[in-house]
Amino acid sequence: MEKKLNDLIDKALSRRKFLAGAGTAAAGAMIVGCNSSTPAPTTTPTPTPTPLDIPDNDILNFALNLEYLEAEFYLYATTGSGLSTADALSGAGTTIVPQGIAAVPWTNSSFAQYANEIAQDELDHVRAIQAAIKANSGTPVPRPALDLTFFAPLAVAAGITNPSPFNPFLSTNAFLVGAFVFEDVGVTAYTGAAPLISNNAILSAAAGIQATEAYHAAEIRTLLVAGAAQTNDQTYVNLANQVSTLRGNISVASGNKLAAETQLGTMSIVAADGNAIAYARTTDQVLHIVYGGASGVGVAKGGFFPNGLNGNISVTAS
Amino acid sequence: MATLETQQLDEIIVNTRRKMLTMGGAALAALAFGSTRKAEAQAAAINDFDILNFALNLEYLEAQFYNLAVYGVTIDKLPTPIPISVNGGTGGSVTLSPSFAAVPFALPLVKAYATETAGEEGKHVLFLQQALSTNAVSMPNIDLFNSFNTLATVAGLGTSFNPFMDDAHFLIGAYVFEDVGVSAYHGAAGLIADKTNILPAAVGIHAVEAYHAGLIRTTIAGLDAAGSPLPTGTLTSYTQAISKARSALANPDPTNPITVPFTTFTGSGADDIGVQTTPVALNASTSIYTAATIVDCDLNAMGWSRTTSQVLAIVTGTAPTAASPHEGVFFPNGMNGTIN
């Protein structure tokens, strides 16, 4: 940790020295543009390699696939049906759902209101990202084929034997565990992707969505913990933690040295590292999780995405 | 030698400067009319360390609030102290009620949440101090007594408000800070030039602040529905009043001066929403469903972004365009650092 911090500080310092030179040039240029006088000093800064090589629209389409999955899940949970044809876009894949699916039979209206809010937020994210890609001269991908019955095998992989088969649409508590499967993954995905974005307006949009996903994640984690305390029954907190362990193991298997998970408890609502900084996942780590855990290079589909993600980021490279 | 790299960096720098120019009308006007050297010098001088120091001031505030709530002592008096005086500076003081004591928590879950948050905000202080190293600023003077009374008055919640009184008042006190922290880190993200080393940490802290805000807002909603013991609806009405106050402070309308309390603020430029309910359409064509508003976000379901000037306005009770240093409310003598 000490070494990591020192490295960070060293890099920051050398970077800053470099930026100080470039900054003066840019400042000079701006002032010339504004009100005359001093010619801009010409400096030739030493280039520092920066990994800005993934096109923003590829990252946005990657995020769009995840938002389709979340929106579809929450819309089925709240209304018993999924995205409209207009929102899924032309060429959308089909969504496999548990037999006889209907809206979750909420234990009270508060839970319905919480779920309605998240469903609307995720739908808004779908629309906002589609618009952002178009505004950035790109083409938003349609909804890929989705499989919302994958919760059952995922639960088995996590060691959850009761209820079996696991179906997040059958009760409020099962829904909370289902939501738990997605929300922290969304946060880590945006935390990992945001620094890769080169356009500052798109970075700001990604940060805005990241915040909303973290609000959601905290909400779901708080509701699970508070519900367990109220009923003196840790069953569903334990189920969530089995999911968390599985996600951590998948991340480790795909090359993350950290488990990238914080077990849920009354004193650990926030999922973060030892510096209280949220975990970041690479696109590969996210793919391994949503594809159901197969490790290695070249995993192209599986899990919640039976035909893979749409777009240029869809096959694991590590 | 204009490589792709230098072009990209120039773009970042120019974008950063553009963003800074939108920070305040006064600074912009000063540049446009070519006057006030101070504004020019200040804009040109802002770098990543200034932004991190701005964040450090906010983290000092949050860390003091939560640690005082749980342990009854300031962060420098904890068993494992967190420094408030760094790099030869002298840390400020924290103004508290003469009868201050830690929150007498009655609800174990709320105490657990407070304890977790106290630890995490303390870690943010330490992390930023270490990342800034010799550039880190000391803690400025902080007020956690008169500040809440002032805020209560402007938000129409009465003339005094003690966030250390009980669980419910503590949650409202926490509510005051968390969403502001989220919007501040969001706004700062676009200003950060070093996207390799600094930005990942900043977006990681941004997410944790949003976790805290989601935790607090969910807990307020639950406690309010159950009777806090204040009558049901009281806590959520407090959050709405505070959100209106924050929004009005951050987005003052020159044609419609801020009144006290903010009951008339309708907010064309509103950038804050309290804990309430709102109609939504979901996949239907009309808004036939009722949704909670646990997330503090805009119509695109994106968290709000605030400029440093807007954040300064909220935490000091000044106008965003006021001359630096912004002083008052939580920072009676202003923040330490270049952005103040």
Side-chain angles (χ1 to χ4, degrees), chain B residues 289-302:
Chain B
Y289 299 95
T290 303
T293 55
I294 298 297
V295 182
D296 201 353
C297 66
D298 66 16
L299 289 173
N300 288 320
M302 294 180 185

Side-chain angles (χ1 to χ4, degrees), chain A residues 9 16 18 30 48 50 81-82 113 116-117 120 125 184 197 200 204 207-208 210 212 215 218 269-270 274 276 278, chain B residues 5 9 17 34 47 49 116 123-124 130 179 186 190 195 197 203-204 206 208 211 215 282-283 290 292 294-295 301 303:
Chain A
I9 291 159
R16 192 211 164 205
F18 160 60
M30 288 292 289
T48 315
T50 325
S81 59
Q113 291 171 3
N116 286 344
E117 178 186 2
Q120 185 67 48
H125 289 168
D184 296 306
I197 295 171
N200 265 3
S204 179
Q210 178 211 23
T212 298
Y215 275 94
I269 298 296
V270 179
Chain B
E5 160 75 5
L9 283 167
R17 289 187 48 82
N47 59 37
F49 290 145
E116 177 185 350
K123 286 176 182 177
H124 288 170
Q130 286 164 348
D179 301 308
H186 183 171
K195 297 197 179 200
N197 300 302
V203 297
H206 174 236
V208 169
Y211 268 102
L215 164 61
L282 300 182
N283 48 12
T290 303
I294 298 297
V295 182

Side-chain angles (χ1 to χ4, degrees), chain A residues 49-271:
Chain A
T50 325
L52 295 175
D53 50 358
I54 305 175
D56 287 354
N57 283 339
D58 287 0
I59 297 171
L60 288 174
N61 266 322
F62 176 77
L64 180 57
N65 279 275
L66 301 178
E67 297 292 351
Y68 281 132
L69 174 63
E70 289 188 300
E72 196 78 337
F73 168 70
Y74 288 109
L75 286 173
Y76 271 105
T78 50
T79 71
S81 59
L83 284 158
S84 70
T85 314
D87 286 320
L89 299 186
S90 169
T94 53
T95 300
I96 305 164
V97 294
Q99 207 172 7
I101 192 165
V104 176
W106 305 108
T107 45
N108 63 50
S109 62
S110 292
F111 283 105
Q113 291 171 3
Y114 295 146
N116 286 344
E117 178 186 2
I118 301 180
Q120 185 67 48
D121 286 347
E122 304 297 3
L123 177 56
D124 290 342
H125 289 168
V126 165
R127 292 170 178 166
I129 295 175
Q130 288 173 348
I133 294 169
K134 285 184 196 160
N136 198 34
S137 310
T139 307
V141 296
R143 180 189 63 203
L146 297 173
D147 185 354
L148 294 179
T149 66
F150 181 68
F151 286 101
L154 178 81
V156 171
I160 297 170
T161 52
N162 181 31
S164 179
F166 183 80
N167 180 341
F169 303 102
L170 290 186
S171 73
T172 298
N173 280 322
F175 161 81
L176 291 175
V177 174
F180 180 90
V181 169
F182 295 134
E183 288 300 341
D184 296 306
V185 178
V187 177
T188 56
Y190 280 102
T191 304
L196 304 177
I197 295 171
S198 50
N199 177 311
N200 265 3
I202 296 175
L203 167 62
S204 179
I209 298 178
Q210 178 211 23
T212 298
E213 299 296 345
Y215 275 94
H216 290 167
E219 177 180 9
I220 297 298
R221 294 171 74 98
T222 304
L223 291 173
L224 280 164
V225 165
Q230 207 168 33
T231 56
N232 199 23
D233 177 357
Q234 296 293 319
T235 304
Y236 289 92
V237 169
N238 292 339
L239 295 188
N241 278 328
Q242 284 175 271
V243 171
S244 185
T245 302
L246 177 66
R247 291 191 307 219
N249 289 342
I250 294 172
S251 287
V252 170
S254 60
N256 188 351
K257 286 173 193 149
L258 296 163
E261 289 286 336
T262 302
Q263 291 279 297
L264 178 59
T266 53
M267 294 277 281
S268 57
I269 298 296
V270 179

